[in-house]
Amino acid sequence: MKLSVNWLSKWTTIDREIPALCDLLTMAGLEVDGVESVAEGLSNVVVGHVDSREQHPNADKLSVCQVSDGENLSTVVCGAPNVAAGQQVAYARPGAVLPNGMKLKVAKLRGVESHGMLCSAAELGLGEGADGIIELPADAPTGTTLIDYLALDDHVIDVDLTPNRGDCLSILGVARELAALTGHATPEVAVEKISPALDDIFPVRLDAPAACAKYAGRIIKGVNAAAATPIWLSEALRRAGVRSISPVVDITNYVMLELGQPMHAFDLATLAGGINVRYAENGETLTLLDGQDLELSDDTLVIADHDKPIALAGIMGGLNTGVQSHTRDVLLESAYFDPIRLAGVARQFRLHTDASHRFERGVDFSGQERAIERATALIVEICGGLAGPIETAENAPALPTRDPIDFRPEAVAEILGVEVPNEAIKQMFVALGCHVEQGAASWSVTPPNYRFDLAIEVDLVEEVARLHGYDKLGATMPPMSMSIAPGNRWQTGINGIREQLVSQGFFEAITYSFIDEKLFGLFNGEQDPYALENPISS
């Protein structure tokens, strides 16, 4: 999980330097694998304005541009096909050293002196685009450093999360952790509710409620799916390691990264009748967004309309119903899938997606409408359109429950060997989003919807250890009383047994659960091996 510190700081107070922040996260169980500076090599790159563009006199594929940096007008030779007069561009002045190591100086290109260069996203390390220069919005202030304009004075922290902490696969989740660790206020999820401007709904039916107990959808009509993704949004995705595709898709990815709820958008014109979350029928087929053709079986959960499967549930949407540049009406979906029933399905089809990674670990089963509202607000702001009401199908008995945990405060000292005041323990639980009812002998602690890893007393003790600080737990030996048991002439040690077997001509072998097929032939060549369908490695 790649985290932008700037994005995190919008959700919670960060009052320490990057190394100290990384230490705090690692000691709390969110191990930091690495840190990158976003602005490396961009100190002499500014927002430039192309005053004029003329054909190079000695080269058909080069242009000669007059570029303003807010103070001076400089001649720049550019080979990009999309350069034009009037553009706001990323201008690297002479003396700049780009992230790829290129050092810029005044140079002659086919007889024309060039003072710096107009840069592509790839040249600045801001994306993969190398076939043209970056075109900045028209209101980008000329002369402003690109670092300031794009808020590039930022660091990206790569956190390696354990499988039980799916709640931290979002900016919101890590912000909650930081708030609990530092004592700052818990982030409030204040999502603007969009009043329906249409009455249109797309009906939803749950025919597999044990696997999908909740599904929310909303129609948005009249969107401009070909609009440009704002640079702030594409930058947020880039820093999280997600490629920008198109505005509607980018918004669903942004909401997933922000709130932890995977989403998908369908082209409404390609759907028939209504949504049905069901198991596939043997022999049904589905072409995924990545072009892979699947033959489905009756144990595969799908999202279907009244005619056909349109998505592999919780994993990836279908190619024929995805949002395209010509799409005008969309159906947003946001669902809760049971982690156990979804586990292993992606690997069965040799897939691993951001959505499956989250659903397999468990998402907040109360956050589907919140994600729809957040995505709707962004789509209407960026792409336009009118939204209908949210249509939610829910099977309440099949949804998870967060049962209270019986907790004894003295268990902290028993297990950790350190005394923590009861009031401090309670504050920790409240900071983690738990509901605490204190009794005379024990407490009743109810975890929040997004913490699937809290189920028994020792889980809560572990939370106290994390928030109190592992480094504050003293190294103490437990008291032990030992005695030597009398020997028995009918007993012998394992080494004696080994010696007896060796003396009879036996050899000790260490066997392996999984081995290569060729090695299997050396051990047991007369039998046919059972092959793993999805080996981790060969």
Side-chain angles (χ1 to χ4, degrees):
M1 176 73 183
K2 291 187 174 182
L3 303 164
S4 160
V5 175
N6 282 0
W7 198 354
L8 266 177
S9 65
K10 295 177 182 178
W11 283 84
T12 189
T13 303
I14 297 177
D15 53 5
R16 58 194 70 204
E17 298 297 323
I18 299 299
L21 177 63
C22 293
D23 287 344
L24 179 69
L25 289 171
T26 297
M27 290 303 296
L30 280 62
E31 182 180 358
V32 173
D33 273 352
V35 182
E36 295 180 3
S37 172
V38 176
E40 193 72 37
L42 301 177
S43 59
N44 205 13
V45 182
V46 300
V47 176
H49 177 77
V50 181
D51 277 25
S52 65
R53 178 259 178 199
E54 296 178 356
Q55 181 65 45
H56 193 292
N58 304 317
D60 293 339
K61 294 184 178 181
L62 296 179
S63 304
V64 179
C65 304
Q66 299 301 315
V67 181
S68 170
D69 65 358
E71 296 179 357
N72 303 303
L73 199 62
S74 304
T75 300
V76 179
V77 177
C78 179
N82 62 326
V83 65
Q87 285 177 331
Q88 298 297 99
V89 294
Y91 171 41
R93 296 181 291 202
V97 181
L98 299 183
N100 59 10
M102 181 186 295
K103 299 179 181 179
L104 299 184
K105 58 184 179 180
V106 178
K108 279 193 175 181
L109 298 176
R110 296 291 185 93
V112 178
E113 203 170 68
S114 180
H115 297 255
M117 68 182 290
L118 308 184
C119 301
S120 69
E123 288 163 336
L124 297 178
L126 300 180
E128 300 175 357
D131 54 352
I133 61 170
I134 294 177
E135 298 180 52
L136 299 174
D139 59 357
T142 303
T144 302
T145 67
L146 203 66
I147 291 175
D148 288 341
Y149 178 66
L150 295 181
L152 294 172
D153 188 13
D154 188 12
H155 288 80
V156 173
I157 299 175
D158 191 358
V159 177
D160 186 12
L161 294 170
T162 51
N164 65 317
R165 292 310 306 271
D167 62 294
C168 287
L169 286 167
S170 66
I171 292 292
L172 171 61
V174 177
R176 283 174 173 146
E177 278 288 291
L178 282 174
L181 290 164
T182 58
H184 293 297
T186 302
E188 292 187 12
V189 187
V191 173
E192 175 190 1
K193 289 191 175 183
I194 303 300
S195 299
L198 305 171
D199 295 328
D200 303 55
I201 62 169
F202 206 65
V204 179
R205 192 169 85 234
L206 304 179
D207 278 357
C212 177
K214 189 177 180 183
Y215 187 103
R218 172 179 251 171
I219 289 174
I220 306 178
K221 288 192 169 183
V223 303
N224 177 13
T229 297
I231 198 161
W232 65 264
L233 200 160
S234 60
E235 258 301 289
L237 296 180
R238 183 187 70 83
R239 295 179 204 182
V242 177
R243 183 170 59 93
S244 177
I245 298 173
S246 65
V248 174
V249 176
D250 290 347
I251 287 167
T252 59
N253 284 331
Y254 180 86
V255 173
M256 176 190 68
L257 293 168
E258 183 179 57
L259 302 179
Q261 172 66 48
M263 301 186 66
H264 186 66
F266 296 105
D267 184 336
L268 186 64
T270 65
L271 304 182
I275 291 292
N276 184 11
V277 186
R278 60 173 173 84
Y279 284 101
E281 297 176 7
N282 287 322
E284 283 190 306
T285 59
L286 173 65
T287 301
L288 298 178
L289 283 169
D290 64 359
Q292 181 179 350
D293 292 320
L294 303 183
E295 183 171 341
L296 307 173
S297 58
D298 58 8
D299 61 350
T300 304
L301 188 69
V302 296
I303 311 298
D305 63 11
H306 286 183
D307 292 342
K308 59 195 177 299
I310 58 176
L312 195 57
I315 299 172
M316 188 180 291
L319 179 64
N320 298 326
T321 55
V323 173
Q324 308 290 332
S325 59
H326 59 265
T327 299
R328 290 295 171 264
D329 304 330
V330 302
L331 174 69
L332 282 180
E333 70 151 19
S334 177
Y336 172 79
F337 298 103
D338 179 69
I340 300 300
R341 296 173 189 273
L342 213 63
V345 177
R347 287 195 64 200
Q348 175 188 342
F349 294 104
R350 293 175 173 81
L351 294 169
H352 181 269
T353 64
D354 289 325
S356 68
H357 191 73
R358 286 162 173 79
F359 280 130
E360 287 175 353
R361 286 153 179 78
V363 302
D364 185 348
F365 53 89
S366 64
Q368 287 67 48
E369 291 87 355
R370 177 178 63 195
I372 291 272
E373 294 284 14
R374 177 67 169 138
T376 302
L378 290 171
I379 289 174
V380 171
E381 175 188 341
I382 295 168
C383 305
L386 300 174
I390 297 177
E391 176 74 358
T392 301
E394 179 179 315
N395 188 299
L399 283 172
T401 57
R402 306 307 289 130
D403 298 324
I405 301 170
D406 191 47
F407 172 77
R408 298 169 300 114
E410 59 267 23
V412 172
E414 291 175 3
I415 297 173
L416 302 181
V418 63
E419 296 285 346
V420 180
N422 286 0
E423 189 56 35
I425 294 174
K426 181 181 178 181
Q427 288 177 3
M428 292 176 191
F429 291 161
V430 171
L432 291 169
C434 299
H435 176 72
V436 181
E437 293 182 5
Q438 292 178 274
S442 64
W443 300 358
S444 176
V445 181
T446 306
N449 293 343
Y450 46 84
R451 290 299 302 270
F452 288 90
D453 59 317
L454 302 182
I456 57 178
E457 182 182 68
V458 74
D459 295 333
L460 297 176
V461 174
E462 182 182 10
E463 294 302 291
V464 174
R466 290 194 318 110
L467 270 61
H468 180 72
Y470 291 122
D471 54 331
K472 296 177 183 177
L473 302 180
T476 56
M477 291 294 293
M480 299 178 66
S481 59
M482 301 176 64
S483 61
I484 299 176
N488 187 321
R489 67 190 183 93
W490 300 109
Q491 293 177 336
T492 186
I494 186 67
N495 288 331
I497 295 174
R498 284 193 174 109
E499 290 173 2
Q500 288 292 326
L501 291 171
V502 169
S503 69
Q504 299 298 315
F506 288 94
F507 294 89
E508 184 173 10
I510 301 175
T511 59
Y512 298 90
S513 300
F514 302 111
I515 59 174
D516 182 84
E517 188 173 4
K518 293 179 181 178
L519 290 177
F520 181 88
L522 298 177
F523 283 95
N524 208 341
E526 297 179 357
Q527 291 188 3
D528 293 329
Y530 291 100
L532 285 178
E533 188 168 339
N534 294 300
I536 295 175
S537 68
S538 62

